Amino acid sequence: PPVDEDKFYYEKTKPSEEYYLMAGRLVYYKRFDLGVEAFKKLGKKLKIVGDGFAASKLKNSADSKYIEFLPYLTQEKLRELFLNARALIFPQIEHFGLIAAEAQLCGLPVIAYRDGGALEIIEDGKTGLFFNEQTPEAIIKAVQDFEHLKLNRKYISQVAERFLKKNFKDKIKSIVYQTCLR
């Protein structure tokens, strides 16, 4: 799936706040529960963007001192959060993971579970960091390791350009031409 470069793009900024971010539909398989537990234990700020069936359960288990829920945001506001966050936390298994690609196009590193579409999006240690178990403890360790890294947000955005609409269209055209010409 392509990323809309008119809505998600890199802009050099210095993150204005110390927070991490999770975003998407609040449903069980996306494992927002792991982020909530990890950040309660870490005592660090986490902003969760989205809404869904698991919202009330997540809110009940969250510590509002550290975790903020933002149910509905414009794409412009989401981009602003991408530009100012420390990293996107991505503990789920997705076929692709469009939110991770959008975040990276904005230059945001992604801390992700090592499986699924994240393997196509993230360069470990360069555009983000992987963890190997879907547990709060694995996320805690990954966040602690991440805080010692110095990642280049412009590089992250440049690598993510492979997911732009234009590139997606060009690849589809190429596949169609190759298939039809055989």
Side-chain angles (χ1 to χ4, degrees), residues 138-153:
I139 292 174
I140 290 168
K141 171 97 171 69
V143 168
Q144 290 169 338
D145 291 347
F146 170 79
E147 291 188 346
H148 297 290
L149 293 177
K150 296 239 189 275
L151 300 181
N152 182 323
R153 287 180 175 239

Side-chain angles (χ1 to χ4, degrees), residues 26-40:
L26 304 185
V27 293
Y28 177 74
Y29 82 89
K30 295 199 181 250
R31 304 309 310 263
F32 283 87
D33 58 315
L34 299 176
V36 167
E37 286 304 311
F39 279 81
K40 275 194 323 190

Side-chain angles (χ1 to χ4, degrees), residues 45-56:
K45 289 185 180 183
L46 175 68
K47 294 186 182 200
I48 297 177
V49 176
D51 203 2
F53 296 114
S56 61

Side-chain angles (χ1 to χ4, degrees), residues 46-127:
L46 175 68
K47 294 186 182 200
I48 297 177
V49 176
D51 203 2
F53 296 114
S56 61
K57 185 176 181 181
L58 289 167
K59 288 176 185 176
N60 288 335
S61 67
D63 182 339
S64 61
K65 183 177 177 183
Y66 302 113
I67 300 166
E68 178 183 4
F69 288 87
L70 304 164
Y72 299 102
L73 294 179
T74 64
Q75 289 183 325
E76 183 179 305
K77 181 64 178 165
L78 180 58
R79 178 180 167 269
E80 184 180 313
L81 289 173
F82 285 157
L83 290 172
N84 290 299
R86 301 261 302 137
L88 179 75
I89 307 299
F90 194 78
Q92 66 265 39
I93 301 171
E94 297 276 3
H95 293 294
F96 178 64
L98 186 59
I99 198 82
E102 290 170 343
Q104 291 217 322
L105 192 57
C106 294
L108 185 64
V110 177
I111 300 172
Y113 178 57
R114 189 188 304 267
D115 203 339
L119 295 170
E120 295 178 43
I121 297 169
I122 298 155
E123 292 180 10
D124 199 24
K126 293 181 181 176
T127 67

